Amino acid sequence: MTSLVVAGIVAAFASGGLNALVLGSFLTSSSNERDSQVMKSITRVQDVALVSLHIEGVARHESNGEILGVAVPASEKTTLIQYKFDAKLGIDGSRVKIERTGTEAYRVTIPKFIGIGFDDPVFEDPLESNEVLSWLTPSAVQTQMINNILSDENKQKYITQNEEALKEQAQVFYSGIFAGVDPEIDVAFEFAK
């Protein structure tokens, strides 16, 4: 009787080991990361920050496990990252054109608005919600989620949403410079499309 129980345990172990080997051949993962930097030059910039936006949010990444290209039920994995930062929007000051249009009149041509950068970024540790078979699903790559949050597409979205405030602040900024020289100067503004 004892030998029968031992044989059953060995068979179950061998069967489980064999199942792990079979599943392992379908599921693969590899990872490699490297960073190498050389500073080749320093470029002087004349970026002018016109607006600073304080942004807080939660990024969500959902994924499913797949075997041979077929989604596995109950393998969903959801990753949440809470974040906050200040987004600086403005212009490249070196592209601003100032033209005299009269004895006491100037036209200031403002270039397209740009995303200058992000200040004080804070990204909380990710939270993960897992289904029963979520071990089949690779974890979200936190750096990729952060790069998506700080992407050029999001900078452009912030510019579009705040275009009127940017125009208004550009007018205040350059009008103040002219008023400091001569308060009687008439300043007209033109904005790049």
Side-chain angles (χ1 to χ4, degrees):
M1 174 86 172
T2 321
S3 62
L4 191 56
V5 171
V6 171
I9 292 173
V10 170
F13 177 75
S15 172
L18 184 59
N19 286 339
L21 290 175
V22 170
L23 279 177
S25 67
F26 293 127
L27 304 172
T28 59
S29 177
S30 65
S31 179
N32 188 3
E33 190 172 322
R34 179 174 285 182
D35 184 9
S36 178
Q37 294 182 350
V38 176
M39 187 181 302
K40 297 215 175 206
S41 68
I42 297 174
T43 304
R44 296 180 188 272
V45 295
Q46 296 178 24
D47 293 342
V48 177
L50 298 171
V51 173
S52 178
L53 308 172
H54 182 73
I55 297 172
E56 295 186 21
V58 176
R60 180 184 189 104
H61 180 271
E62 296 174 333
S63 55
N64 289 325
E66 294 181 356
I67 296 179
L68 298 174
V70 177
V72 177
S75 66
E76 294 84 14
K77 186 177 285 191
T78 302
T79 304
L80 303 173
I81 294 181
Q82 187 175 356
Y83 61 89
K84 62 183 174 180
F85 55 82
D86 294 325
K88 301 272 188 187
L89 308 177
I91 55 174
D92 178 351
S94 68
R95 294 179 178 247
V96 173
K97 293 181 184 167
I98 300 174
E99 302 169 281
R100 183 178 220 143
T101 58
T103 56
E104 292 286 318
Y106 289 86
R107 178 176 50 240
V108 179
T109 304
I110 305 292
K112 288 187 176 186
F113 296 112
I114 59 172
I116 294 174
F118 300 101
D119 283 344
D120 305 320
V122 175
F123 296 91
E124 300 295 333
D125 291 335
L127 300 173
E128 226 173 61
S129 171
N130 299 311
E131 294 289 330
V132 176
L133 298 175
S134 64
W135 56 272
L136 293 169
T137 306
S139 294
V141 180
Q142 185 176 355
T143 53
Q144 183 178 353
M145 290 180 72
I146 292 170
N147 288 339
N148 289 341
I149 294 166
L150 302 176
S151 69
D152 288 339
E153 292 81 17
N154 280 339
K155 284 182 190 176
Q156 190 56 51
K157 180 180 77 175
Y158 302 144
I159 290 168
T160 302
Q161 291 172 344
N162 296 282
E163 190 167 4
E164 289 307 312
L166 286 162
K167 286 180 178 179
E168 194 176 293
Q169 187 59 23
Q171 290 174 349
V172 167
F173 180 77
Y174 283 100
S175 293
I177 292 173
F178 281 100
V181 174
D182 183 354
E184 301 299 316
I185 293 177
D186 182 38
V187 183
F189 289 90
E190 188 176 299
F191 293 91
K193 302 288 185 223

Coordinates of all heavy atoms in Angstrom, one line a residue, residues 112-174:
K112 N 5.2 78.5 -32.9 CA 4.3 77.4 -32.3 C 4.7 77.2 -30.8 O 5.9 77.2 -30.5 CB 4.4 76.1 -33.1 CG 3.7 76.2 -34.4 CD 3.7 74.9 -35.1 CE 3.0 74.9 -36.4 NZ 2.8 73.6 -37.0
F113 N 3.7 76.9 -30.0 CA 4.0 76.6 -28.6 C 4.6 75.2 -28.5 O 4.3 74.3 -29.3 CB 2.7 76.7 -27.8 CG 2.1 78.1 -27.8 CD1 0.9 78.4 -28.5 CD2 2.7 79.1 -27.2 CE1 0.4 79.6 -28.5 CE2 2.2 80.4 -27.2 CZ 1.0 80.7 -27.8
I114 N 5.4 75.0 -27.5 CA 6.1 73.8 -27.3 C 6.0 73.3 -25.8 O 5.7 74.2 -24.9 CB 7.6 73.9 -27.6 CG1 8.3 74.9 -26.8 CG2 7.8 74.1 -29.1 CD1 9.8 75.0 -27.0
G115 N 6.1 72.0 -25.6 CA 6.3 71.5 -24.3 C 7.7 71.6 -23.9 O 8.6 71.0 -24.5
I116 N 8.0 72.4 -22.8 CA 9.4 72.6 -22.4 C 9.9 71.5 -21.5 O 11.0 71.1 -21.7 CB 9.5 74.0 -21.7 CG1 9.2 75.1 -22.8 CG2 10.9 74.2 -21.1 CD1 9.2 76.5 -22.2
G117 N 9.1 71.0 -20.7 CA 9.5 69.9 -19.8 C 8.6 69.7 -18.6 O 7.5 70.3 -18.5
F118 N 9.0 68.8 -17.7 CA 8.3 68.5 -16.5 C 9.1 68.7 -15.3 O 10.2 68.4 -15.2 CB 7.9 67.0 -16.6 CG 7.1 66.7 -17.8 CD1 7.6 66.1 -18.9 CD2 5.7 66.9 -17.9 CE1 6.9 65.8 -20.1 CE2 4.9 66.7 -19.0 CZ 5.6 66.1 -20.1
D119 N 8.5 69.3 -14.3 CA 9.1 69.6 -13.0 C 8.4 68.7 -11.9 O 7.2 68.5 -12.0 CB 9.0 71.1 -12.6 CG 9.9 72.0 -13.4 OD1 10.9 71.5 -14.0 OD2 9.7 73.2 -13.4
D120 N 9.2 68.3 -11.0 CA 8.8 67.6 -9.8 C 7.9 66.4 -10.1 O 6.8 66.2 -9.5 CB 8.0 68.6 -8.8 CG 8.9 69.8 -8.5 OD1 10.1 69.6 -8.2 OD2 8.3 70.9 -8.4
P121 N 8.4 65.5 -11.0 CA 7.5 64.3 -11.2 C 7.6 63.4 -10.1 O 8.6 63.1 -9.5 CB 8.2 63.7 -12.5 CG 9.6 64.2 -12.5 CD 9.6 65.5 -11.8
V122 N 6.4 62.9 -9.7 CA 6.3 61.8 -8.7 C 5.4 60.7 -9.2 O 4.3 60.9 -9.6 CB 5.6 62.4 -7.4 CG1 5.4 61.3 -6.3 CG2 6.5 63.5 -6.8
F123 N 6.0 59.5 -9.2 CA 5.3 58.3 -9.6 C 5.3 57.3 -8.5 O 6.3 56.9 -8.0 CB 6.0 57.7 -10.9 CG 6.0 58.6 -12.1 CD1 7.0 59.4 -12.3 CD2 4.9 58.5 -12.9 CE1 7.0 60.3 -13.4 CE2 4.8 59.4 -14.0 CZ 5.9 60.2 -14.3
E124 N 4.0 57.0 -8.0 CA 3.9 56.1 -6.9 C 4.2 54.7 -7.4 O 4.2 54.4 -8.6 CB 2.5 56.1 -6.4 CG 2.0 57.5 -5.8 CD 2.8 58.0 -4.6 OE1 3.3 57.1 -3.9 OE2 2.9 59.2 -4.4
D125 N 4.5 53.8 -6.4 CA 4.7 52.4 -6.8 C 3.4 51.8 -7.4 O 2.3 52.1 -7.0 CB 5.0 51.5 -5.5 CG 6.4 51.9 -5.0 OD1 7.3 52.4 -5.8 OD2 6.6 51.7 -3.8
P126 N 3.6 51.0 -8.5 CA 2.4 50.5 -9.2 C 1.6 49.5 -8.3 O 2.2 48.8 -7.5 CB 3.0 49.8 -10.4 CG 4.4 49.5 -10.1 CD 4.9 50.5 -9.1
L127 N 0.3 49.6 -8.5 CA -0.6 48.6 -7.9 C -1.1 47.6 -8.9 O -1.4 48.0 -10.1 CB -1.8 49.3 -7.3 CG -1.5 50.4 -6.2 CD1 -2.8 51.1 -5.9 CD2 -0.9 49.7 -5.0
E128 N -1.1 46.4 -8.6 CA -1.5 45.3 -9.6 C -2.7 44.6 -9.1 O -2.8 44.2 -7.9 CB -0.3 44.4 -9.8 CG -0.1 44.1 -11.2 CD 1.2 43.3 -11.4 OE1 1.3 42.1 -10.9 OE2 2.1 43.8 -12.1
S129 N -3.7 44.3 -10.0 CA -4.8 43.5 -9.7 C -4.7 42.3 -10.6 O -4.6 42.5 -11.8 CB -6.1 44.3 -10.0 OG -7.2 43.5 -9.9
N130 N -4.8 41.1 -10.0 CA -4.6 39.9 -10.8 C -5.8 39.0 -10.8 O -6.4 38.8 -9.7 CB -3.3 39.2 -10.3 CG -2.1 40.0 -10.3 OD1 -1.8 40.5 -11.4 ND2 -1.4 40.1 -9.2
E131 N -6.0 38.3 -11.9 CA -7.0 37.3 -11.9 C -6.3 35.9 -11.6 O -5.1 35.9 -11.4 CB -7.7 37.2 -13.3 CG -8.5 38.4 -13.7 CD -9.8 38.5 -12.9 OE1 -10.3 37.5 -12.6 OE2 -10.2 39.6 -12.7
V132 N -7.1 34.9 -11.6 CA -6.6 33.6 -11.2 C -5.4 33.1 -12.0 O -4.5 32.6 -11.5 CB -7.8 32.5 -11.3 CG1 -7.3 31.1 -10.9 CG2 -8.9 32.9 -10.3
L133 N -5.5 33.3 -13.3 CA -4.5 32.8 -14.2 C -3.5 33.9 -14.7 O -2.9 33.8 -15.8 CB -5.1 32.1 -15.4 CG -5.9 30.8 -15.1 CD1 -6.5 30.2 -16.3 CD2 -5.0 29.8 -14.4
S134 N -3.4 35.0 -13.9 CA -2.7 36.1 -14.4 C -1.2 35.9 -14.4 O -0.4 36.6 -15.0 CB -2.9 37.3 -13.4 OG -2.4 37.0 -12.1
W135 N -0.7 34.7 -13.8 CA 0.7 34.4 -14.0 C 1.1 34.1 -15.4 O 2.3 34.1 -15.8 CB 1.0 33.2 -13.1 CG 0.2 32.0 -13.3 CD1 -1.0 31.6 -12.8 CD2 0.5 30.9 -14.3 NE1 -1.5 30.5 -13.3 CE2 -0.6 30.0 -14.2 CE3 1.6 30.7 -15.1 CZ2 -0.6 28.8 -15.0 CZ3 1.5 29.5 -15.9 CH2 0.5 28.6 -15.8
L136 N 0.1 33.9 -16.3 CA 0.4 33.7 -17.7 C 0.6 35.1 -18.4 O 1.1 35.1 -19.5 CB -0.8 33.1 -18.4 CG -1.1 31.6 -18.0 CD1 -2.5 31.2 -18.6 CD2 0.0 30.7 -18.5
T137 N 0.3 36.2 -17.7 CA 0.4 37.5 -18.3 C 1.7 38.2 -17.8 O 1.9 38.3 -16.6 CB -0.8 38.3 -17.9 OG1 -2.0 37.6 -18.3 CG2 -0.9 39.7 -18.6
P138 N 2.5 38.7 -18.7 CA 3.7 39.5 -18.3 C 3.2 40.7 -17.6 O 2.2 41.4 -17.9 CB 4.4 39.8 -19.6 CG 3.5 39.5 -20.7 CD 2.4 38.6 -20.2
S139 N 4.0 41.2 -16.6 CA 3.7 42.4 -15.9 C 4.0 43.6 -16.8 O 4.7 43.6 -17.7 CB 4.7 42.5 -14.7 OG 4.4 41.5 -13.7
A140 N 3.2 44.7 -16.5 CA 3.4 45.9 -17.2 C 4.8 46.5 -17.0 O 5.3 46.3 -15.9 CB 2.4 46.9 -16.8
V141 N 5.4 47.1 -18.0 CA 6.7 47.7 -17.8 C 6.5 49.1 -17.3 O 5.9 50.0 -18.0 CB 7.5 47.7 -19.2 CG1 8.8 48.3 -19.0 CG2 7.6 46.3 -19.7
Q142 N 6.9 49.4 -16.1 CA 6.6 50.6 -15.4 C 7.3 51.8 -16.2 O 6.6 52.9 -16.4 CB 7.2 50.6 -14.0 CG 6.8 51.9 -13.2 CD 7.3 51.8 -11.8 OE1 7.8 50.8 -11.3 NE2 7.1 52.9 -11.1
T143 N 8.5 51.7 -16.7 CA 9.1 52.8 -17.4 C 8.3 53.1 -18.7 O 8.2 54.2 -19.1 CB 10.6 52.4 -17.8 OG1 10.6 51.2 -18.4 CG2 11.4 52.4 -16.5
Q144 N 7.8 52.1 -19.4 CA 7.0 52.3 -20.6 C 5.7 53.1 -20.2 O 5.3 54.0 -21.0 CB 6.7 51.0 -21.3 CG 5.9 51.2 -22.6 CD 5.6 49.9 -23.3 OE1 6.1 48.8 -22.8 NE2 4.9 49.9 -24.3
M145 N 5.1 52.8 -19.1 CA 3.9 53.5 -18.7 C 4.3 55.0 -18.4 O 3.6 55.9 -18.8 CB 3.3 52.8 -17.4 CG 2.6 51.5 -17.7 SD 1.9 50.8 -16.2 CE 0.5 51.8 -16.0
I146 N 5.4 55.2 -17.7 CA 5.8 56.6 -17.4 C 6.2 57.3 -18.7 O 5.8 58.5 -18.8 CB 7.0 56.5 -16.4 CG1 6.6 56.0 -15.1 CG2 7.7 57.9 -16.3 CD1 7.7 55.7 -14.1
N147 N 6.9 56.7 -19.6 CA 7.2 57.3 -20.9 C 5.9 57.7 -21.6 O 5.8 58.8 -22.3 CB 8.0 56.4 -21.8 CG 9.5 56.3 -21.3 OD1 9.9 57.2 -20.5 ND2 10.2 55.3 -21.7
N148 N 4.9 56.9 -21.6 CA 3.6 57.2 -22.2 C 2.9 58.4 -21.5 O 2.4 59.3 -22.2 CB 2.6 56.0 -22.2 CG 3.0 54.9 -23.1 OD1 3.8 55.1 -24.0 ND2 2.5 53.7 -22.8
I149 N 3.0 58.5 -20.2 CA 2.5 59.7 -19.5 C 3.2 61.0 -19.9 O 2.6 62.0 -20.1 CB 2.6 59.4 -17.9 CG1 1.7 58.3 -17.5 CG2 2.3 60.7 -17.2 CD1 2.0 57.7 -16.1
L150 N 4.5 60.9 -20.0 CA 5.3 62.1 -20.4 C 5.6 62.2 -21.9 O 6.5 62.9 -22.3 CB 6.7 62.0 -19.6 CG 6.6 61.9 -18.1 CD1 8.0 61.7 -17.5 CD2 5.8 63.1 -17.5
S151 N 4.8 61.6 -22.7 CA 5.0 61.6 -24.1 C 4.8 62.9 -24.8 O 4.1 63.8 -24.3 CB 4.1 60.5 -24.8 OG 2.7 61.0 -24.7
D152 N 5.3 63.0 -26.0 CA 5.1 64.2 -26.8 C 3.6 64.4 -27.2 O 3.2 65.6 -27.3 CB 6.0 64.2 -28.1 CG 7.4 64.4 -27.8 OD1 7.8 64.9 -26.8 OD2 8.3 63.9 -28.7
E153 N 2.9 63.3 -27.4 CA 1.5 63.4 -27.7 C 0.7 64.1 -26.5 O -0.2 64.9 -26.7 CB 0.9 62.0 -27.9 CG 1.4 61.3 -29.2 CD 2.7 60.7 -29.1 OE1 3.2 60.4 -27.9 OE2 3.3 60.4 -30.1
N154 N 1.1 63.7 -25.3 CA 0.5 64.4 -24.1 C 0.9 65.8 -24.0 O 0.0 66.7 -23.7 CB 0.8 63.6 -22.8 CG -0.1 62.4 -22.7 OD1 -1.2 62.3 -23.3 ND2 0.3 61.5 -21.9
K155 N 2.1 66.2 -24.3 CA 2.5 67.6 -24.3 C 1.7 68.4 -25.3 O 1.2 69.5 -25.0 CB 4.0 67.7 -24.7 CG 5.0 67.3 -23.6 CD 6.4 67.6 -24.2 CE 7.4 67.0 -23.2 NZ 8.8 67.1 -23.8
Q156 N 1.5 67.8 -26.5 CA 0.7 68.5 -27.5 C -0.8 68.6 -27.1 O -1.4 69.7 -27.3 CB 0.7 67.7 -28.9 CG 0.1 68.5 -30.0 CD 0.7 69.9 -30.2 OE1 1.9 70.0 -30.3 NE2 -0.1 70.9 -30.3
K157 N -1.3 67.6 -26.4 CA -2.7 67.7 -25.8 C -2.8 68.9 -24.8 O -3.7 69.6 -24.9 CB -3.0 66.4 -25.2 CG -4.4 66.4 -24.6 CD -4.7 65.0 -23.9 CE -4.1 64.9 -22.6 NZ -4.4 63.7 -21.8
Y158 N -1.8 69.0 -24.0 CA -1.8 70.1 -23.0 C -1.7 71.4 -23.7 O -2.3 72.4 -23.3 CB -0.6 70.0 -22.0 CG -0.6 68.7 -21.2 CD1 0.6 68.1 -20.9 CD2 -1.7 68.0 -20.8 CE1 0.7 66.9 -20.2 CE2 -1.7 66.8 -20.1 CZ -0.5 66.3 -19.8 OH -0.4 65.1 -19.1
I159 N -0.9 71.5 -24.7 CA -0.8 72.8 -25.5 C -2.2 73.1 -26.1 O -2.6 74.3 -26.0 CB 0.3 72.7 -26.6 CG1 1.7 72.6 -25.9 CG2 0.2 73.8 -27.6 CD1 2.8 72.2 -26.9
T160 N -2.8 72.2 -26.8 CA -4.1 72.4 -27.4 C -5.1 72.8 -26.4 O -5.9 73.8 -26.6 CB -4.6 71.1 -28.1 OG1 -3.6 70.8 -29.1 CG2 -5.9 71.3 -28.8
Q161 N -5.2 72.2 -25.2 CA -6.1 72.5 -24.2 C -5.9 73.9 -23.6 O -6.8 74.5 -23.0 CB -6.1 71.5 -23.1 CG -6.6 70.1 -23.5 CD -6.4 69.0 -22.4 OE1 -5.6 69.2 -21.5 NE2 -7.1 67.9 -22.6
N162 N -4.7 74.4 -23.6 CA -4.4 75.7 -23.0 C -3.9 76.7 -23.9 O -3.2 77.7 -23.5 CB -3.3 75.4 -21.9 CG -3.8 74.5 -20.8 OD1 -4.5 74.9 -19.9 ND2 -3.5 73.2 -20.9
E163 N -4.2 76.6 -25.2 CA -3.7 77.5 -26.2 C -4.1 79.0 -25.9 O -3.3 79.9 -26.1 CB -4.2 77.1 -27.6 CG -3.6 77.9 -28.7 CD -3.9 77.3 -30.1 OE1 -4.6 76.3 -30.2 OE2 -3.3 77.8 -31.0
E164 N -5.3 79.2 -25.5 CA -5.7 80.6 -25.2 C -4.9 81.2 -24.1 O -4.5 82.4 -24.1 CB -7.2 80.7 -24.9 CG -8.1 80.5 -26.1 CD -7.7 81.4 -27.3 OE1 -7.6 82.6 -27.1 OE2 -7.6 80.9 -28.4
A165 N -4.7 80.4 -23.0 CA -3.9 80.9 -21.9 C -2.5 81.2 -22.3 O -1.8 82.2 -21.9 CB -3.9 79.9 -20.7
L166 N -1.9 80.4 -23.2 CA -0.6 80.5 -23.7 C -0.5 81.8 -24.6 O 0.5 82.6 -24.4 CB -0.1 79.3 -24.6 CG 0.2 78.1 -23.8 CD1 0.2 76.8 -24.7 CD2 1.6 78.2 -23.1
K167 N -1.5 82.1 -25.4 CA -1.5 83.3 -26.2 C -1.5 84.5 -25.3 O -0.8 85.5 -25.5 CB -2.6 83.3 -27.2 CG -2.5 82.3 -28.4 CD -3.7 82.4 -29.3 CE -3.5 81.5 -30.5 NZ -4.6 81.5 -31.4
E168 N -2.4 84.5 -24.4 CA -2.6 85.6 -23.4 C -1.3 85.9 -22.7 O -0.9 87.0 -22.5 CB -3.7 85.2 -22.5 CG -4.3 86.3 -21.7 CD -5.5 85.9 -20.8 OE1 -6.5 85.5 -21.4 OE2 -5.3 85.8 -19.6
Q169 N -0.7 84.8 -22.2 CA 0.6 85.0 -21.4 C 1.7 85.5 -22.3 O 2.5 86.3 -21.8 CB 0.9 83.7 -20.7 CG 2.1 83.8 -19.7 CD 1.8 84.9 -18.6 OE1 0.7 85.2 -18.3 NE2 2.9 85.4 -18.1
A170 N 1.8 85.0 -23.5 CA 2.8 85.5 -24.5 C 2.6 87.0 -24.7 O 3.6 87.8 -24.7 CB 2.7 84.8 -25.8
Q171 N 1.4 87.5 -24.8 CA 1.1 88.9 -25.0 C 1.5 89.7 -23.8 O 2.1 90.8 -23.9 CB -0.4 89.1 -25.4 CG -0.7 88.6 -26.7 CD -2.2 88.7 -27.0 OE1 -3.0 88.9 -26.1 NE2 -2.6 88.5 -28.3
V172 N 1.2 89.2 -22.6 CA 1.5 89.9 -21.4 C 3.1 89.9 -21.2 O 3.6 91.0 -20.9 CB 0.9 89.1 -20.1 CG1 1.5 89.6 -18.8 CG2 -0.6 89.3 -20.1
F173 N 3.7 88.8 -21.5 CA 5.2 88.8 -21.4 C 5.9 89.8 -22.3 O 6.7 90.6 -21.8 CB 5.7 87.4 -21.7 CG 7.2 87.2 -21.6 CD1 7.8 87.1 -20.3 CD2 8.0 87.1 -22.7 CE1 9.1 86.9 -20.2 CE2 9.4 86.9 -22.6 CZ 9.9 86.8 -21.3
Y174 N 5.6 89.8 -23.6 CA 6.3 90.7 -24.5 C 5.8 92.1 -24.4 O 6.6 93.1 -24.6 CB 6.2 90.1 -25.9 CG 7.2 89.0 -26.1 CD1 6.7 87.7 -26.1 CD2 8.5 89.2 -26.3 CE1 7.6 86.6 -26.2 CE2 9.4 88.2 -26.4 CZ 9.0 86.9 -26.4 OH 9.9 85.9 -26.5

